[in-house]
Amino acid sequence: MVEIIYNDANTGMMKTENLIRLPKNIRQIGIVSEKTKIYTEDYVKSYLNQHFDSHNQMSFILFGKIVTAKDKRYIFIDGAISVETEKIFHRDAEINSEEWDKLKIASKEYFTDLEMVGWAGNEDSESAEDIHRRFFQESSRIYIRLGEGETDYYLIDQGSMQHQEGYYIYYARNEAMQNYMVEQQNTEQFGAEDLRDERTIEQFRQIMKERKEIVKHGKMMTVLSCASSCLALLVLAIGITMVNNYEKMQAMEVAIVELSTSLEEEDTVVQTAEVPKETVEAETDKVIVQETTPETPEAEELQPDTEPVWNQTAEAAVKEQTYVVKKGDTLMRISMEHYQTRDMVDAICELNQIDNKDIILCGQKILLP
């Protein structure tokens, strides 16, 4: 047989054919017909090979999808349920309703979205064609003949069963088939005779229930783990954003304080500049008058050429404690310049009896504490 392996690297053109989405990872066996393309999922093929026994009269009902597009027929086999050949394909009656009802219940439990697409067994071609015509009237239904190391596919074409030269095996995450295989394995471990006992049946059902709960719990834990990871990432992102915003807020606060201080200083300068010139001159004259001492002839005669040391020290002390206001000065700036803090503004106002600390006069002499 011819086997061609396709994978994600070389099946870009295989993903979509005639607007039908096809499996990505496939293996071609034999020469596939251009009119009919058969795709069997790997879990289904493995299940058929594992449970086939030429001495055991077992058959398998196949489930999947049949799609027709642009004169081509696509048959996808995604599930298989084992049945007793004699019971399901009764020789004396067309349909054994009780066994078929059981089959329908099992198919709804495991393969809800799939339809019956054919069957598999070890019947010879004549018997297989008879069964196929009685139970699978549609020509699109497939028959897989199982044998020792060989698997042959048949379809009714041109009025008779026709052998198909090739087909595809594809690989997918087939959870429905996996669950069915696990259930079948558990059933086989108990055995048919053991299941006749009511206690054994109850025990079997309890084990099945516990295993389903374990699977359900595992899925729930997976979902919770993903949700916890997403929540942790969200909290981390929020924390980083908050830290960045806090730093920006601090920088903004500093900028606002500096801007406010600058505006206050400009406002004070404007107020100082708007004081009438006469007032400034009057205040200046007043200060000069207070500090000017009338000269008398007697004082000039008594004044020695060099002032005493105690007089120079006192005059230096007075100069250190007196400050003449310059243009653009504010009490806050004077306090920062002389004391390196703004807290001395109130003390300067109190010492100089200044009522409004935002208004001082250019040329005004103030005492510094």
Side-chain angles (χ1 to χ4, degrees):
M1 284 192 175
V2 178
E3 290 192 8
I4 303 175
I5 304 297
Y6 296 90
N7 52 40
D8 289 337
N10 59 7
T11 57
M13 68 291 189
M14 295 292 293
K15 292 181 181 178
T16 304
E17 183 175 317
N18 296 334
L19 302 180
I20 296 175
R21 191 165 188 82
L22 301 178
K24 294 182 180 180
N25 300 320
I26 65 174
R27 180 172 51 142
Q28 179 179 327
I29 299 179
I31 302 174
V32 179
S33 170
E34 288 297 325
K35 294 183 178 180
T36 303
K37 298 181 182 296
I38 304 169
Y39 293 85
T40 304
E41 203 278 317
D42 183 64
Y43 280 106
V44 178
K45 189 174 187 305
S46 300
Y47 178 71
L48 296 178
N49 293 336
Q50 291 174 5
H51 291 75
F52 167 72
D53 186 353
S54 59
H55 302 290
N56 188 7
Q57 293 298 315
M58 294 294 295
S59 297
F60 305 89
I61 307 300
L62 307 176
F63 294 87
K65 293 285 185 181
I66 299 177
V67 182
T68 302
K70 293 186 177 181
D71 299 329
K72 290 185 180 181
R73 181 171 51 189
Y74 300 85
I75 303 176
F76 300 94
I77 304 173
D78 299 299
I81 295 179
S82 61
V83 294
E84 293 185 32
T85 305
E86 193 63 29
K87 288 184 178 181
I88 199 73
F89 303 130
H90 202 273
R91 303 291 181 180
D92 300 330
E94 289 295 323
I95 294 178
N96 187 330
S97 59
E98 182 179 354
E99 294 299 322
W100 281 94
D101 288 341
K102 291 180 181 179
L103 176 64
K104 290 180 180 179
I105 293 173
S107 65
K108 289 182 179 179
E109 180 178 357
Y110 295 102
F111 310 114
T112 306
D113 300 328
L114 304 180
E115 60 180 304
M116 190 183 302
V117 297
W119 64 293
N122 61 348
E123 302 290 330
D124 56 34
S125 57
E126 184 177 350
S127 299
E129 185 171 350
D130 177 63
I131 293 174
H132 205 84
R133 291 184 181 278
R134 286 192 297 126
F135 296 96
F136 304 95
Q137 297 179 2
E138 296 87 346
S139 60
S140 59
R141 299 298 185 266
I142 197 166
Y143 169 61
I144 302 177
R145 187 176 188 278
L146 304 173
E148 296 292 344
E150 294 184 0
T151 303
D152 295 316
Y153 287 70
Y154 293 87
L155 284 170
I156 291 182
D157 189 15
Q158 297 179 355
S160 62
M161 294 285 283
Q162 299 290 330
H163 179 255
Q164 304 299 303
E165 296 296 332
Y167 56 91
Y168 296 108
I169 300 296
Y170 75 94
Y171 304 87
R173 185 178 177 181
N174 194 346
E175 293 185 359
M177 192 62 203
Q178 292 182 52
N179 293 335
Y180 177 75
M181 293 171 66
V182 171
E183 293 289 342
Q184 287 298 108
Q185 184 179 4
N186 294 332
T187 305
E188 292 169 2
Q189 287 178 358
F190 278 88
E193 295 182 358
D194 294 336
L195 291 176
R196 294 173 185 172
D197 183 66
E198 293 183 359
R199 294 182 180 179
T200 306
I201 292 174
E202 185 63 28
Q203 182 182 4
F204 172 74
R205 289 176 178 173
Q206 184 64 27
I207 292 175
M208 292 300 98
K209 183 178 179 181
E210 291 177 356
R211 293 194 177 185
K212 287 183 178 180
E213 289 294 331
I214 292 173
V215 173
K216 183 178 179 181
H217 179 71
K219 292 182 178 179
M220 183 62 68
M221 291 301 296
T222 302
V223 173
L224 291 176
S225 177
C226 294
S228 300
S229 300
C230 294
L231 182 59
L233 291 175
L234 179 60
V235 171
L236 180 60
I238 293 175
I240 294 174
T241 304
M242 290 181 65
V243 170
N244 293 336
N245 290 340
Y246 178 73
E247 293 178 353
K248 291 180 180 178
M249 289 175 64
Q250 281 188 323
M252 185 179 295
E253 183 178 357
V254 172
I256 291 173
V257 171
E258 292 178 353
L259 179 61
S260 176
T261 303
S262 176
L263 290 176
E264 289 179 358
E265 292 176 352
E266 290 180 1
D267 184 58
T268 304
V269 170
V270 170
Q271 292 181 5
T272 304
E274 291 178 354
V275 174
K277 183 177 180 181
E278 294 80 2
T279 305
V280 175
E281 292 177 352
E283 291 292 335
T284 305
D285 294 341
K286 183 178 179 180
V287 174
I288 293 174
V289 169
Q290 290 177 355
E291 292 187 354
T292 302
T293 304
E295 296 183 0
T296 58
E298 292 80 2
E300 291 180 358
E301 293 177 358
L302 296 175
Q303 185 176 357
D305 296 335
T306 304
E307 292 185 358
V309 177
W310 62 267
N311 195 13
Q312 294 178 2
T313 305
E315 185 177 351
V318 171
K319 289 183 179 179
E320 290 179 358
Q321 294 180 356
T322 303
Y323 179 80
V324 179
V325 178
K326 301 187 295 294
K327 185 177 180 180
D329 276 344
T330 63
L331 292 180
M332 187 180 298
R333 179 178 294 179
I334 294 171
S335 177
M336 289 294 297
E337 181 179 348
H338 288 271
Y339 303 103
Q340 289 76 47
T341 180
R342 302 177 182 179
D343 298 337
M344 295 299 294
V345 173
D346 293 336
I348 296 173
C349 290
E350 183 179 355
L351 180 61
N352 294 273
Q353 298 181 354
I354 298 174
D355 296 332
N356 190 343
K357 61 183 179 181
D358 293 328
I359 299 177
I360 57 176
L361 305 176
C362 181
Q364 179 182 352
K365 291 184 180 180
I366 59 176
L367 299 178
L368 302 178

